[in-house]
Amino acid sequence: MWENNLCSPSVVKELLAKYQLSPRKGFGQNFLIHPQIPRKIAEASAAQAAEEMQGTGFSCALEIGPGLGTMTRELSRLYRRVTAVEIDRGLIPLLGETLADCKNVQIVERDCLKLDLPAFLREQFGDCPVHVCANLPYYITTPILMKLLEAAEPAQAPQIRSVTVLVQTEVADRLCAAPGSAAYGAITASVRLVGTAKKLFGVSAGSFLPQPKVSSAVVQIQLYVNGVRDAIIGLPASDEALNALIRQAKELISLGFAQRRKTLVNALSGVYEKDETASALRTLGLAPDIRGERLSAEQYVTLAQQLTQKKGAQSLVSAQK
């Protein structure tokens, strides 16, 4: 019944009225009314899973914020199992109707930001590779993305293999920005520690009900298959040492972007001695007056290595005295 008409504005309004609902601004609800968009997003997600599905038999999808179930239906055609997490209790019975014939879909009423995500993934999917797909509320895009990406352990193959999301165009540009550009920020560098981001296509404001005041775009983040060692050479052989190094690199990224107008030496001065940071930067062939927004994620990791080595050497000298 709902195969082809969940994107009809009249059907959307009829369904919401039937369940005495309206789009909730507090949850950032903007429902897709362009039928090609949810299909393209789901197919872009499934394209990343295609090779896995040949090798293991199937992959699974996690959807965040299914809304009326428009994209959920598309995912159910392409994945063996789909779990959709919805925070709005009022939408649960509506989803029960619109997804009644999708037997491979599980609706879970939860706040995704409060999930123990690794435990939730194991509970829902076992050891099945997971691909995340979502039309994310603009106001919590970054927290959701960071929660998803931080579930990946630096030294291990991640259970979440890709994240395909519809976000505000400004956020899409930030996720895909190059070091030194105006859009490049802490989240850009943080994403590069776990995977690569690519903007797939734009989505006009007229594709939503209600219509937002900004344009949107679909971004796909493909996580490194075997962890960060796939992307950066010269990392510690020990998983424990690698995890500690990436935690330190994330701290440097956070400090480096917290005060963008400052040089990196000054931005890190609350934690690291200025001479120590300047020396580490010179070792990397970088100017001591460089700003944090000029460094790539790889350079932040290498800087963390240098700072650790210099601190270790200083501690050794002090002990010998």
Side-chain angles (χ1 to χ4, degrees), residues 207-240:
S207 299
F208 299 89
L209 180 73
Q211 185 170 311
K213 297 179 180 178
V214 295
S215 62
S216 304
V218 176
V219 172
Q220 186 168 78
I221 302 170
Q222 187 172 357
L223 279 73
Y224 304 130
V225 175
N226 300 299
V228 71
R229 288 192 180 99
D230 282 354
I232 302 177
I233 61 173
L235 295 175
S238 160
D239 288 355
E240 183 178 356

Tab-separated table of all heavy atoms in Angstrom, residues 207-240:
chain	number	residue	atom	x	y	z
A	207	SER	N	12.367	19.624	-1.372
A	207	SER	CA	12.207	18.176	-1.266
A	207	SER	C	11.678	17.748	0.094
A	207	SER	O	11.519	16.545	0.338
A	207	SER	CB	13.562	17.480	-1.525
A	207	SER	OG	14.035	17.777	-2.816
A	208	PHE	N	11.409	18.732	0.978
A	208	PHE	CA	10.994	18.424	2.348
A	208	PHE	C	9.650	19.063	2.691
A	208	PHE	O	9.257	20.075	2.121
A	208	PHE	CB	12.025	18.964	3.350
A	208	PHE	CG	13.403	18.400	3.221
A	208	PHE	CD1	14.337	18.995	2.386
A	208	PHE	CD2	13.796	17.280	3.942
A	208	PHE	CE1	15.629	18.493	2.274
A	208	PHE	CE2	15.071	16.773	3.844
A	208	PHE	CZ	15.988	17.374	3.009
A	209	LEU	N	8.988	18.451	3.654
A	209	LEU	CA	7.789	19.020	4.276
A	209	LEU	C	7.935	18.876	5.785
A	209	LEU	O	8.075	17.758	6.285
A	209	LEU	CB	6.541	18.275	3.812
A	209	LEU	CG	5.205	18.779	4.392
A	209	LEU	CD1	4.839	20.108	3.759
A	209	LEU	CD2	4.097	17.757	4.180
A	210	PRO	N	7.935	20.001	6.529
A	210	PRO	CA	7.964	21.384	6.046
A	210	PRO	C	9.297	21.697	5.367
A	210	PRO	O	10.283	21.014	5.583
A	210	PRO	CB	7.782	22.196	7.333
A	210	PRO	CG	8.342	21.317	8.404
A	210	PRO	CD	7.999	19.921	8.004
A	211	GLN	N	9.280	22.751	4.602
A	211	GLN	CA	10.450	23.132	3.832
A	211	GLN	C	11.436	23.876	4.718
A	211	GLN	O	11.090	24.885	5.321
A	211	GLN	CB	10.024	24.019	2.658
A	211	GLN	CG	11.157	24.388	1.718
A	211	GLN	CD	10.634	25.055	0.463
A	211	GLN	OE1	9.708	24.558	-0.178
A	211	GLN	NE2	11.223	26.185	0.105
A	212	PRO	N	12.689	23.403	4.828
A	212	PRO	CA	13.686	24.117	5.640
A	212	PRO	C	14.151	25.383	4.936
A	212	PRO	O	13.894	25.575	3.737
A	212	PRO	CB	14.820	23.103	5.768
A	212	PRO	CG	14.713	22.276	4.528
A	212	PRO	CD	13.237	22.190	4.213
A	213	LYS	N	14.860	26.215	5.671
A	213	LYS	CA	15.338	27.474	5.103
A	213	LYS	C	16.729	27.346	4.491
A	213	LYS	O	17.298	28.340	4.031
A	213	LYS	CB	15.345	28.554	6.187
A	213	LYS	CG	13.961	28.879	6.732
A	213	LYS	CD	14.023	29.934	7.820
A	213	LYS	CE	12.633	30.239	8.360
A	213	LYS	NZ	12.676	31.252	9.461
A	214	VAL	N	17.278	26.145	4.509
A	214	VAL	CA	18.629	25.925	3.985
A	214	VAL	C	18.614	24.755	3.006
A	214	VAL	O	17.673	23.956	2.983
A	214	VAL	CB	19.623	25.625	5.124
A	214	VAL	CG1	19.767	26.838	6.044
A	214	VAL	CG2	19.178	24.403	5.923
A	215	SER	N	19.653	24.670	2.198
A	215	SER	CA	19.785	23.538	1.280
A	215	SER	C	20.485	22.377	1.987
A	215	SER	O	21.090	22.554	3.050
A	215	SER	CB	20.587	23.949	0.041
A	215	SER	OG	21.903	24.341	0.407
A	216	SER	N	20.392	21.204	1.399
A	216	SER	CA	20.945	20.002	2.012
A	216	SER	C	21.797	19.244	1.004
A	216	SER	O	21.787	19.535	-0.193
A	216	SER	CB	19.813	19.100	2.511
A	216	SER	OG	18.962	19.783	3.397
A	217	ALA	N	22.539	18.276	1.511
A	217	ALA	CA	23.366	17.432	0.648
A	217	ALA	C	23.560	16.078	1.311
A	217	ALA	O	23.454	15.950	2.530
A	217	ALA	CB	24.716	18.094	0.372
A	218	VAL	N	23.831	15.089	0.499
A	218	VAL	CA	24.096	13.742	1.004
A	218	VAL	C	25.600	13.514	1.017
A	218	VAL	O	26.286	13.751	0.018
A	218	VAL	CB	23.413	12.673	0.137
A	218	VAL	CG1	23.787	11.266	0.614
A	218	VAL	CG2	21.894	12.863	0.181
A	219	VAL	N	26.096	13.082	2.169
A	219	VAL	CA	27.522	12.791	2.348
A	219	VAL	C	27.670	11.335	2.735
A	219	VAL	O	26.854	10.795	3.495
A	219	VAL	CB	28.131	13.685	3.449
A	219	VAL	CG1	29.557	13.254	3.776
A	219	VAL	CG2	28.126	15.131	3.011
A	220	GLN	N	28.713	10.714	2.226
A	220	GLN	CA	29.011	9.336	2.617
A	220	GLN	C	30.415	9.267	3.218
A	220	GLN	O	31.377	9.752	2.625
A	220	GLN	CB	28.919	8.400	1.420
A	220	GLN	CG	29.062	6.928	1.780
A	220	GLN	CD	28.682	6.041	0.611
A	220	GLN	OE1	29.468	5.873	-0.318
A	220	GLN	NE2	27.462	5.502	0.640
A	221	ILE	N	30.487	8.671	4.395
A	221	ILE	CA	31.763	8.437	5.053
A	221	ILE	C	32.042	6.945	4.988
A	221	ILE	O	31.256	6.138	5.492
A	221	ILE	CB	31.736	8.906	6.521
A	221	ILE	CG1	31.395	10.398	6.593
A	221	ILE	CG2	33.087	8.626	7.197
A	221	ILE	CD1	31.108	10.886	7.998
A	222	GLN	N	33.129	6.586	4.350
A	222	GLN	CA	33.532	5.189	4.258
A	222	GLN	C	34.635	4.953	5.282
A	222	GLN	O	35.707	5.559	5.211
A	222	GLN	CB	34.020	4.854	2.852
A	222	GLN	CG	34.292	3.380	2.639
A	222	GLN	CD	34.586	3.050	1.189
A	222	GLN	OE1	34.541	3.926	0.326
A	222	GLN	NE2	34.881	1.797	0.920
A	223	LEU	N	34.383	4.102	6.253
A	223	LEU	CA	35.359	3.861	7.307
A	223	LEU	C	36.468	2.933	6.824
A	223	LEU	O	36.248	2.082	5.959
A	223	LEU	CB	34.680	3.275	8.546
A	223	LEU	CG	33.993	4.308	9.460
A	223	LEU	CD1	32.716	4.847	8.837
A	223	LEU	CD2	33.710	3.729	10.837
A	224	TYR	N	37.660	3.137	7.389
A	224	TYR	CA	38.794	2.299	7.023
A	224	TYR	C	38.502	0.856	7.429
A	224	TYR	O	38.145	0.577	8.573
A	224	TYR	CB	40.065	2.785	7.717
A	224	TYR	CG	40.390	4.230	7.445
A	224	TYR	CD1	40.671	5.115	8.487
A	224	TYR	CD2	40.417	4.736	6.140
A	224	TYR	CE1	40.976	6.449	8.252
A	224	TYR	CE2	40.714	6.079	5.893
A	224	TYR	CZ	40.986	6.926	6.958
A	224	TYR	OH	41.273	8.245	6.712
A	225	VAL	N	38.692	-0.061	6.510
A	225	VAL	CA	38.302	-1.448	6.716
A	225	VAL	C	39.021	-2.076	7.902
A	225	VAL	O	38.432	-2.830	8.675
A	225	VAL	CB	38.562	-2.272	5.435
A	225	VAL	CG1	38.276	-3.751	5.679
A	225	VAL	CG2	37.700	-1.751	4.291
A	226	ASN	N	40.303	-1.749	8.066
A	226	ASN	CA	41.092	-2.354	9.143
A	226	ASN	C	41.531	-1.343	10.196
A	226	ASN	O	42.509	-1.560	10.901
A	226	ASN	CB	42.327	-3.047	8.548
A	226	ASN	CG	41.955	-4.138	7.573
A	226	ASN	OD1	41.297	-5.105	7.937
A	226	ASN	ND2	42.343	-3.968	6.318
A	227	GLY	N	40.805	-0.229	10.290
A	227	GLY	CA	41.195	0.799	11.242
A	227	GLY	C	42.154	1.799	10.622
A	227	GLY	O	42.465	1.748	9.417
A	228	VAL	N	42.673	2.702	11.439
A	228	VAL	CA	43.447	3.840	10.950
A	228	VAL	C	44.770	3.432	10.309
A	228	VAL	O	45.366	4.196	9.546
A	228	VAL	CB	43.673	4.854	12.097
A	228	VAL	CG1	44.657	4.307	13.128
A	228	VAL	CG2	44.138	6.205	11.564
A	229	ARG	N	45.244	2.217	10.563
A	229	ARG	CA	46.490	1.767	9.919
A	229	ARG	C	46.339	1.688	8.402
A	229	ARG	O	47.335	1.672	7.678
A	229	ARG	CB	46.905	0.405	10.479
A	229	ARG	CG	47.441	0.460	11.915
A	229	ARG	CD	48.105	-0.861	12.292
A	229	ARG	NE	48.623	-0.835	13.647
A	229	ARG	CZ	48.017	-1.352	14.708
A	229	ARG	NH1	46.834	-1.947	14.543
A	229	ARG	NH2	48.557	-1.290	15.905
A	230	ASP	N	45.104	1.612	7.906
A	230	ASP	CA	44.862	1.616	6.464
A	230	ASP	C	45.230	2.954	5.827
A	230	ASP	O	45.468	3.030	4.623
A	230	ASP	CB	43.384	1.331	6.153
A	230	ASP	CG	43.028	-0.139	6.265
A	230	ASP	OD1	43.948	-0.949	6.474
A	230	ASP	OD2	41.839	-0.468	6.151
A	231	ALA	N	45.230	4.018	6.645
A	231	ALA	CA	45.376	5.360	6.090
A	231	ALA	C	46.700	6.037	6.445
A	231	ALA	O	47.165	6.906	5.714
A	231	ALA	CB	44.217	6.247	6.566
A	232	ILE	N	47.284	5.670	7.570
A	232	ILE	CA	48.485	6.360	8.052
A	232	ILE	C	49.585	5.336	8.294
A	232	ILE	O	49.382	4.341	8.998
A	232	ILE	CB	48.193	7.139	9.352
A	232	ILE	CG1	47.058	8.155	9.117
A	232	ILE	CG2	49.450	7.860	9.839
A	232	ILE	CD1	46.646	8.915	10.359
A	233	ILE	N	50.752	5.595	7.722
A	233	ILE	CA	51.875	4.682	7.907
A	233	ILE	C	52.681	5.076	9.150
A	233	ILE	O	52.559	6.187	9.662
A	233	ILE	CB	52.787	4.674	6.668
A	233	ILE	CG1	53.373	6.079	6.435
A	233	ILE	CG2	52.039	4.191	5.442
A	233	ILE	CD1	54.416	6.118	5.328
A	234	GLY	N	53.498	4.147	9.626
A	234	GLY	CA	54.390	4.443	10.736
A	234	GLY	C	53.718	4.469	12.093
A	234	GLY	O	54.255	5.060	13.043
A	235	LEU	N	52.560	3.831	12.218
A	235	LEU	CA	51.849	3.815	13.497
A	235	LEU	C	52.386	2.693	14.385
A	235	LEU	O	52.968	1.719	13.892
A	235	LEU	CB	50.351	3.637	13.266
A	235	LEU	CG	49.651	4.784	12.532
A	235	LEU	CD1	48.200	4.424	12.253
A	235	LEU	CD2	49.731	6.072	13.336
A	236	PRO	N	52.184	2.787	15.700
A	236	PRO	CA	52.683	1.753	16.609
A	236	PRO	C	52.105	0.383	16.287
A	236	PRO	O	50.939	0.257	15.901
A	236	PRO	CB	52.208	2.241	17.990
A	236	PRO	CG	51.974	3.697	17.833
A	236	PRO	CD	51.532	3.893	16.430
A	237	ALA	N	52.930	-0.648	16.461
A	237	ALA	CA	52.460	-2.014	16.226
A	237	ALA	C	51.508	-2.462	17.320
A	237	ALA	O	50.594	-3.255	17.083
A	237	ALA	CB	53.652	-2.959	16.143
A	238	SER	N	51.698	-1.941	18.526
A	238	SER	CA	50.853	-2.293	19.659
A	238	SER	C	49.504	-1.590	19.549
A	238	SER	O	49.441	-0.366	19.352
A	238	SER	CB	51.532	-1.889	20.966
A	238	SER	OG	50.609	-1.781	22.024
A	239	ASP	N	48.414	-2.339	19.666
A	239	ASP	CA	47.082	-1.741	19.624
A	239	ASP	C	46.885	-0.761	20.772
A	239	ASP	O	46.260	0.298	20.604
A	239	ASP	CB	46.005	-2.834	19.685
A	239	ASP	CG	45.917	-3.626	18.388
A	239	ASP	OD1	46.623	-3.270	17.417
A	239	ASP	OD2	45.145	-4.594	18.346
A	240	GLU	N	47.392	-1.106	21.939
A	240	GLU	CA	47.241	-0.227	23.100
A	240	GLU	C	47.944	1.103	22.863
A	240	GLU	O	47.397	2.171	23.153
A	240	GLU	CB	47.824	-0.911	24.341
A	240	GLU	CG	47.654	-0.104	25.611
A	240	GLU	CD	48.203	-0.813	26.843
A	240	GLU	OE1	48.655	-1.971	26.721
A	240	GLU	OE2	48.186	-0.192	27.933
